Amino acid sequence: MWVSDGWKDYELLDCSSGEKLERWGSYTLVRPDPQAIWHTSRTHPGWNRYDARYVRSRSGGGGWERNRLPERWTVTYKNLTFHVKPTNFKHTGLFPEQAANWDFAAQQIRSAGRPIRVLNLFAYTGGATVACAAAGASVCHVDAARGMVAWARENAAASGLEDRPIRWIVDDCAKFVEREIRRGRRYDAVIMDPPSYGRGPSGEVWKLEENLWDFVELTAQVLSDQPLFFLINSYTTGLAPAVLTYLLESVLTRRYGGGARSEELGLPVTASGLILPCGATGRWTKEKQP
């Protein structure tokens, strides 16, 4: 498991009975988490002193209760700064477990010894974009949601990276990749965080299990002659991390050499000393991984 244990402004205080208790800077939130199926005693005082709690509705969706949060605030991770805020879908605009991947990408870029171009697909609010740009890469950030791209630009500015070579693209990721192939543009690294389920701009249905293979094969066509890494995130329940290894080995290792490795992502839990699993990541690198 790859554990994101370098945070100062985020802390997973406890988790139990389908919820997690978190500290985001100076604010404490309670949010649903389907992985926390255990019913341990909630002795941490934060369970009674939280600033906001997201409660699911029986009819679908949900909302925040006892909401004493500001409209938005900032948290930092090492040299990076992010704006966070409570959204209508329980999220805050940041997935703290992804810090393990930010560190991985930054290390790869800094160690490359050459200019690196990164394509970040389904890039959301830009955690990976900001990390890669801070490490010295030029980045193409692509997401279909205009509001998410605007949020990502704000995160880049908050980290002092507004003048770095970042292209901000609002577009369907598959259609953008197809156009980049026709234009002959190439990238040394790809990061993708595709949804488990979604609909395209023309109503096309996306299901990760059915469409990921074709999308990875397509995206591999924009890689340069000296690719550095290819990273896939998956939050799809029931899809084992090893599936990502098999996919990356089949598409990339046979073509470029190197090797792939996949693991769960995790966050340390202060109350128990255990690790909460938070999705999976597959990483292919030109240099074989241990």
Side-chain angles (χ1 to χ4, degrees):
M1 183 181 287
W2 289 315
V3 180
S4 297
D5 55 4
W7 281 96
K8 304 294 184 187
D9 272 4
Y10 173 85
E11 185 180 5
L12 180 50
L13 301 168
D14 197 7
C15 51
S16 176
S17 304
E19 291 183 310
K20 55 189 174 185
L21 175 69
E22 307 166 291
R23 179 180 60 81
W24 293 82
S26 57
Y27 299 99
T28 304
L29 280 63
V30 176
R31 295 191 295 156
D33 194 301
Q35 299 288 345
I37 63 172
W38 40 88
H39 300 284
T40 50
S41 58
R42 299 186 176 196
T43 56
H44 194 287
W47 288 110
N48 298 313
R49 299 176 187 170
Y50 55 81
D51 294 294
R53 179 186 184 191
Y54 189 91
V55 179
R56 293 198 181 279
S57 169
R58 292 183 179 178
S59 58
W64 294 91
E65 66 174 26
R66 198 201 290 181
N67 191 343
R68 298 193 291 258
L69 301 174
E71 183 177 347
R72 74 173 186 173
W73 66 101
T74 60
V75 296
T76 60
Y77 178 76
K78 297 182 178 179
N79 61 327
L80 311 176
T81 299
F82 303 101
H83 293 286
V84 294
K85 62 183 178 181
T87 70
N88 294 333
F89 304 101
K90 85 169 183 176
H91 300 302
T92 64
L94 202 63
F95 292 88
E97 66 273 10
Q98 287 295 329
N101 283 331
W102 305 338
D103 290 343
F104 160 79
Q107 187 276 329
Q108 289 282 315
I109 291 163
R110 292 191 181 105
S111 300
R114 58 187 170 96
I116 298 297
R117 295 160 295 177
V118 177
L119 176 61
N120 188 11
L121 299 169
F122 309 97
Y124 196 49
T125 60
T129 294
V130 171
C132 291
S138 59
V139 186
C140 182
H141 174 109
V142 187
D143 197 282
R146 187 173 300 276
M148 294 299 108
V149 175
W151 193 341
R153 294 187 75 148
E154 293 172 352
N155 284 334
S159 294
L161 303 172
E162 59 266 46
D163 295 328
R164 296 296 176 93
I166 305 173
R167 294 171 62 204
W168 303 103
I169 307 295
V170 180
D171 203 350
D172 175 81
C173 288
K175 287 182 170 52
F176 177 79
V177 169
E178 289 170 352
R179 284 195 293 274
E180 291 291 86
I181 293 170
R182 292 195 295 269
R183 288 186 284 241
R185 286 205 178 110
R186 296 294 180 260
Y187 298 88
D188 304 296
V190 170
I191 297 169
M192 63 171 66
D193 198 348
S196 299
Y197 178 87
R199 289 190 178 274
S202 302
E204 313 95 318
V205 175
W206 164 279
K207 291 184 179 179
L208 189 79
E209 301 92 329
E210 298 176 8
N211 299 110
L212 185 58
W213 168 266
D214 291 339
F215 187 67
V216 171
E217 280 200 312
L218 175 72
T219 307
Q221 295 179 55
V222 300
L223 286 173
S224 67
D225 293 334
Q226 293 182 292
L228 185 64
F229 69 86
F230 199 114
L231 187 151
I232 305 174
N233 288 309
S234 171
Y235 287 91
T236 301
T237 304
L239 195 67
V243 171
L244 301 177
T245 299
Y246 201 107
L247 191 157
L248 290 167
E249 290 278 350
S250 299
V251 176
L252 298 173
T253 302
R254 291 181 181 180
R255 188 177 307 176
Y256 296 105
R261 179 182 167 193
S262 301
E263 297 281 355
E264 287 183 302
L265 296 175
L267 288 167
V269 182
T270 300
S272 65
L274 301 174
I275 305 296
L276 178 69
C278 307
T281 289
R283 302 171 180 170
W284 174 87
T285 56
K286 181 62 175 173
E287 298 298 325
K288 252 187 178 176
Q289 299 183 64

